[in-house]
Amino acid sequence: MSKSQFVSVESEGDIALICIDNPPVNASGVAVRQGILDALDTARALGAKAIGLYCAGRTFVAGADITEFGKPPLSPGLPEVCDILEASEIPIVAAIHGTALGGGLEIAVACHARVAVATARVGLPEILLGLLPGAGGTQRAPRLAGIPNALDLILSGRQVGAVEALKMGLIDRIDEGEMREVALAAGQDVVAGTLGARRTDMLQTQADDAALKAAEAQVRAKHPHLVSPLKCVEAIAASTGPIKEGLAVERAAFLHCLGTPQSNGLIHAFFGERAVANIPEKKVAPRDVSSLGVIGGGTMGSGISTSALMAGLAVTLVEVTQEALDRGVATITGNLEGAVKRGKMSAAKRDAALARLTASTDLNSLSDVDLVIEAVFENMDVKKEIFGKLDAICKQGAILASNTSYLDINEIAAMTSRPADVLGLHFFSPAHIMRLLEVVVGEGTAPEVVATGFALAKRMKKVGVRAGVCDGFIGNRILGHYLKCASYLVMDGAHPDQVDRALEGFGFAMGPHRVGDLAGLDIGYMTRKRLAPTRPAQERYGGAIADRLSENGWNGRKTAKGYFVYEEGQTRENPDLDGIIADERQKAGITPRAFEDQEIVDRYMTAMISEAARVLEDGIAQRPVDIDVVFLMGYGFPRFRGGPLHYADTIGAAELIQRIEGYAREDAHYWQVPNLLRKMAADGTTFADLNKGN
Ligand code: 3HC
């Protein structure tokens, strides 16, 4: 056996077996690439008649090594390795398990045959990183699977299972067994002629102009901001000609996308979602949680229950009245039904999930659960009362969590004799769909309770972000600040529709007024009323227009009227809105002025970044990336911009300070330069540096 650091080769009879072993996901970094070429030479020297290529560990190659992107290219490149594999005179069969993604699938399709175990999944997810397959995927996938399948895979970035991959022609056979044996048997079958082996580049892609045209139109409509989807279509279109030319088109397109702000933003988001798990408590063992109590059967409580049931937990749902309880159970049942319809779970799993649900109107039924999540309406007195009762009812060691979106966890914990067991678990609505979970750590929360919050998030397939206690934690505190900016823009002359469209042009799925209508304008109204007593005298009040809407009973979609009117599936402007706006401007003595869309975006984003910087300064968020992930996953922030603080680095601290100082000439209370930005401008650091802990 010969062995480089990550790639080994051995022979058994006529077959050479090449094994890639680069944990955790066998990414094809430079050492792997060189190792494959060296192993091919060895296989030749061994006189092999066929080669079986497989991976150790949990997966076949899961892609190029993303950490190499943005650094000077290291030779040999993956495209070269794939070309050499394809040109090998000894037939090579790839044996796939785990997830063969991106460069991993590209290696496989450059081989001469492919087998996979039934649990394997394959995909070309480069688009999710603002890229396209750059090692022949856009050329070889359509040759094997046809243009429509290649478009589907490459434009969606989705993973397909072995059965679907077989149907598409991406793999040749489904086998079972341990991977070395699967690779060996496949190699032997190639030699015996019972498994066909051929060069993919010898196949002809069947032209399909209609599919390409339709895909291009769809991409333009669906991803108006993104560069790489169109480049994917362009490269796939080139697959009908000679492969050399197609590969050149692909390479040029790949290099066009690599290193762009969009791709950098998407890669930041990819690593960010993983980086947030890096918490001080990461080495602390979590407590076992197999049963959950959920108090409150409203939208939040039902969503949390649904998510927990889908994760295999037992749930006891508690409501005050039988009627409310029945409504909660009906919502959960409907949510699970929806999951079945969307193909997220089987009917049998739904039935098993519902069998794990207990419904009760008695808080005492929570005496034996491992963790309770209180999800009643936002009223401190009610929450305090519940936590006092839970303290008496719940077993020792049970964790008591509140799903509050802004209230003080320390005050709630103080109602119990066990503040170490209390924390905030702030889910986002709809909780069975949204993947963000703010894990709010109180003054007294024990490390193992924090660790349990994160373990629960993972089990429920959510991304936990560690947050400190303040009004609104990370997300809602920052939201509260920049929504004031939106309200000032409207008071000063911009129209709500213009504000929304400017921000949608920036990449938000919906502008703040459309989001307000969707969430219910009464929520903001109640928040403004709640915060009124603490509002500083110098603070400009921007909520007058929204107040008027709510006071008219126009709370958005649920009342069919808010900033917009929603009738028969149509959205149109609220005919009363302009009058209210004019009225409120007049009352405030404002002569409206015109705003360019760019100024709207600049002010809104600068407001968001300013408060995000203060959230960091206050230690509410651990690192800039935690804030980025909260906004990407919970607030519709455009993923290709990487999050507010990743985006802030593209502007720079000095420019941000200049903007804030300019705006402060109109409102020195609202527009204040965060100390952190001053420090960053002085010492030349970026938020990216703070992520690294510099
Ligand atoms: N490069 C470098 N590191 C990678 C990586 C990659 N392609 N894929 C995963 N990792 C790292 C993760 O950052 C994580 O590191 P950490 O433990 O330090 O946080 C570790 O590997 C494990 O990853 P996950 O936590 O995500 O493990 P899972 O088991 O949940 O998921 C996976 C595994 C499905 C492979 C998932 O990691 C994934 O989707 N990876 C990215 C796949 C991808 O996008 N491939 C295409 C890359 S671009 C490309 O190939 C270009 C080519 O066309 C030229």
Side-chain angles (χ1 to χ4, degrees), residues 69 81 83 164 176 181 229 248 250 272 290-291 297 302 310 358 498 507 523 528 543 553 555 591:
F69 294 167
V81 171
D83 291 351
E164 197 176 349
E176 275 318 315
E181 302 317 310
E250 179 193 88
S290 56
S291 58
S302 304
M310 287 173 79
T358 309
Q498 187 200 1
I523 294 177
R528 287 190 297 280
N555 283 320
T591 310

Side-chain angles (χ1 to χ4, degrees), residues 43-82:
R44 267 188 214 109
L46 290 168
K49 291 207 175 117
I51 297 170
L53 173 70
Y54 72 102
C55 289
R58 68 198 217 209
T59 180
F60 194 77
V61 176
D65 183 343
I66 304 170
T67 60
E68 282 182 4
F69 294 167
K71 298 182 185 152
L74 296 165
S75 187
L78 193 58
E80 185 187 341
V81 171
C82 289

Side-chain angles (χ1 to χ4, degrees), residues 512-566:
H513 300 97
R514 282 173 175 79
V515 172
D517 272 3
L518 189 64
L521 297 178
D522 47 333
I523 294 177
Y525 183 79
M526 285 184 299
T527 304
R528 287 190 297 280
K529 294 288 164 229
R530 177 176 63 84
L531 293 177
T534 56
R535 189 176 304 126
Q538 319 90 295
E539 185 178 307
R540 178 180 177 193
Y541 187 63
I545 296 166
D547 286 350
R548 288 272 300 271
L549 293 174
S550 279
E551 281 156 11
N552 276 313
W554 302 333
N555 283 320
R557 279 181 186 263
K558 61 184 166 194
T559 57
K561 195 169 178 182
Y563 286 100
F564 301 91
V565 172
Y566 305 89

Side-chain angles (χ1 to χ4, degrees), residues 24-25 27 58 62-66 69 99 101-103 106 125-126 129 133-134 270-271 274:
V25 297
R58 68 198 217 209
D65 183 343
I66 304 170
F69 294 167
T99 45
L101 302 177
E106 289 176 297
E126 287 87 343
L129 304 175
F270 174 84
F271 283 120
R274 288 152 179 86

Side-chain angles (χ1 to χ4, degrees), residues 501-519:
R501 286 183 194 280
L503 291 161
E504 286 157 17
F506 177 80
F508 282 96
M510 263 191 225
H513 300 97
R514 282 173 175 79
V515 172
D517 272 3
L518 189 64

Side-chain angles (χ1 to χ4, degrees), residues 281-533:
E281 299 81 4
K282 75 175 171 200
K283 295 221 169 90
V284 179
R287 290 185 195 164
D288 285 336
V289 173
S290 56
S291 58
L292 217 65
V294 176
I295 307 174
T299 313
M300 280 316 293
S302 304
I304 295 167
S305 303
T306 307
S307 183
L309 290 168
M310 287 173 79
L313 293 156
V315 174
T316 303
L317 178 71
V318 177
E319 255 294 358
V320 185
T321 64
Q322 189 61 42
E323 199 192 344
L325 190 62
D326 291 345
R327 260 200 312 270
V329 171
T331 310
I332 295 168
T333 311
N335 290 343
L336 291 171
E337 200 53 53
V340 173
K341 278 202 188 113
R342 288 195 311 277
K344 297 268 173 214
M345 80 190 309
S346 64
K349 283 212 166 129
R350 172 206 53 203
D351 294 344
L354 280 171
R356 285 193 298 276
L357 176 65
T358 309
S360 169
T361 50
D362 182 3
L363 216 51
N364 287 304
S365 57
L366 301 179
S367 61
D368 207 30
V369 298
D370 301 319
L371 191 148
V372 180
I373 301 175
E374 163 279 309
V376 305
F377 57 96
E378 294 281 40
N379 179 306
M380 185 53 112
D381 292 338
V382 175
K383 294 201 190 248
K384 279 183 169 173
E385 192 190 326
I386 289 177
F387 273 74
K389 286 186 183 159
L390 286 176
D391 189 32
I393 291 169
C394 292
K395 68 181 179 188
Q396 277 310 304
I399 293 175
L400 311 181
S402 173
N403 176 53
T404 178
S405 26
Y406 50 80
L407 295 177
D408 187 339
I409 296 295
N410 297 327
E411 216 180 311
I412 295 174
M415 294 307 291
T416 72
S417 62
R418 42 173 133 176
D421 292 338
V422 177
L423 84 170
L425 291 176
H426 179 211
F427 290 82
F428 288 70
S429 186
H432 59 298
I433 296 192
M434 297 287 280
R435 286 179 60 226
L436 179 63
L437 177 64
E438 280 183 315
V439 179
V440 187
V441 181
E443 274 163 14
T445 311
E448 69 181 73
V449 171
V450 180
T452 310
F454 274 81
L456 182 71
K458 195 163 180 192
R459 174 136 188 220
M460 290 169 82
K461 295 202 170 67
K462 310 230 174 273
V463 174
V465 176
R466 194 182 193 283
V469 176
C470 68
D471 197 283
F473 317 126
I474 297 177
N476 281 347
R477 169 168 160 186
I478 298 171
L479 172 81
H481 186 74
Y482 67 76
L483 284 185
K484 284 180 198 155
C485 174
S487 70
Y488 300 155
L489 284 164
V490 172
M491 285 297 283
D492 290 342
H495 192 274
D497 188 46
Q498 187 200 1
V499 172
D500 279 10
R501 286 183 194 280
L503 291 161
E504 286 157 17
F506 177 80
F508 282 96
M510 263 191 225
H513 300 97
R514 282 173 175 79
V515 172
D517 272 3
L518 189 64
L521 297 178
D522 47 333
I523 294 177
Y525 183 79
M526 285 184 299
T527 304
R528 287 190 297 280
K529 294 288 164 229
R530 177 176 63 84
L531 293 177

